[in-house]
Amino acid sequence: MSYGKLNIWIRNPDCSLVRTCWMTDLVIKTCGGDYLVDMDSTVMEKLRMRYADYEKVEINPNYWDEKRIRLYPGGGDHLNHIEVDVPPGCYVVWTRVCYQGNEETNKVMVILDCGGEACVNLLLDRAETCVRGALYPAAILAIEKQIPENELGIAVKALMQVAEIPKKVFVAELEQKFEELQETKEGEAREYLKATDKLLEIVKSLRTKEE
């Protein structure tokens, strides 16, 4: 089999390279969900040869329920680039970055042909950005799971503070979502209508420092 080269770069939201990562836990899975290291044992052998000067090139079997390739240069060195020989195929790639205010980069899908090369740029968003993006769907899921309203209110308020979202801004966003859901005729979207209305009620009842 002719392998391809996968070049992975770890970048900040402004596209500059991360300069302070001293260890990373890389995940490479097929689009079918299989781990590359389970499919092909030579992947780790080649990585150990390529990064022979690293203190650790090993499998981290269960961090956040994912099998990861741990790369640790040691000696105070940092890394922002990884080159991996992989069989041709379709993969999903992301990595953990230690420690840069946030842990996980975004996920990227890449297709690699026989003998080909592909570059993947993984962006490490600010933790605040990740919280902001997850706040609404997580709160809706909590309502669907019937988490008590007082507990949900405490959690939402804390996450709003972490993500630096003013109450009036979040209320305005929820009101816009509610209007969109009212107007749509899509059955799946309308299922969110009741939960969004409940979340809007909870957020409006929160007492915040800005009030």
Side-chain angles (χ1 to χ4, degrees), residues 143-161:
I143 290 171
E144 291 175 350
K145 290 181 176 292
Q146 299 182 336
I147 303 296
E149 287 185 24
N150 63 322
E151 295 180 15
L152 178 56
I154 293 170
V156 168
K157 183 178 179 180
L159 291 174
M160 286 169 60
Q161 292 174 333

Side-chain angles (χ1 to χ4, degrees), residues 107-141:
K107 296 181 180 181
V108 173
M109 188 273 280
V110 60
I111 298 173
L112 199 63
D113 296 325
C114 290
E117 292 191 21
C119 285
V120 167
N121 289 283
L122 303 177
L123 291 181
L124 184 69
D125 276 325
R126 295 172 67 236
E128 293 89 339
T129 303
C130 293
V131 172
R132 188 180 189 112
L135 180 53
Y136 172 72
I140 294 299
L141 185 59

Side-chain angles (χ1 to χ4, degrees), residues 6 8 10 21-28 43-60 68-74 77-84 94-98:
L6 181 60
I8 302 163
I10 307 172
C21 174
W22 50 268
M23 183 174 72
T24 194
D25 286 337
L26 176 66
V27 182
I28 304 177
V43 170
M44 290 302 299
E45 294 173 11
K46 292 175 181 177
L47 274 173
R48 290 188 179 106
M49 291 175 61
R50 178 169 287 134
Y51 297 103
D53 57 333
Y54 275 26
E55 192 168 316
K56 291 182 181 179
V57 180
E58 62 189 19
I59 293 177
N60 184 5
R68 299 165 182 261
I69 301 169
R70 171 160 291 182
L71 295 158
Y72 174 48
D77 291 335
H78 299 92
L79 73 160
N80 51 36
H81 172 252
I82 309 160
E83 185 177 288
V84 188
W94 74 97
T95 197
R96 174 188 178 213
V97 178
C98 301

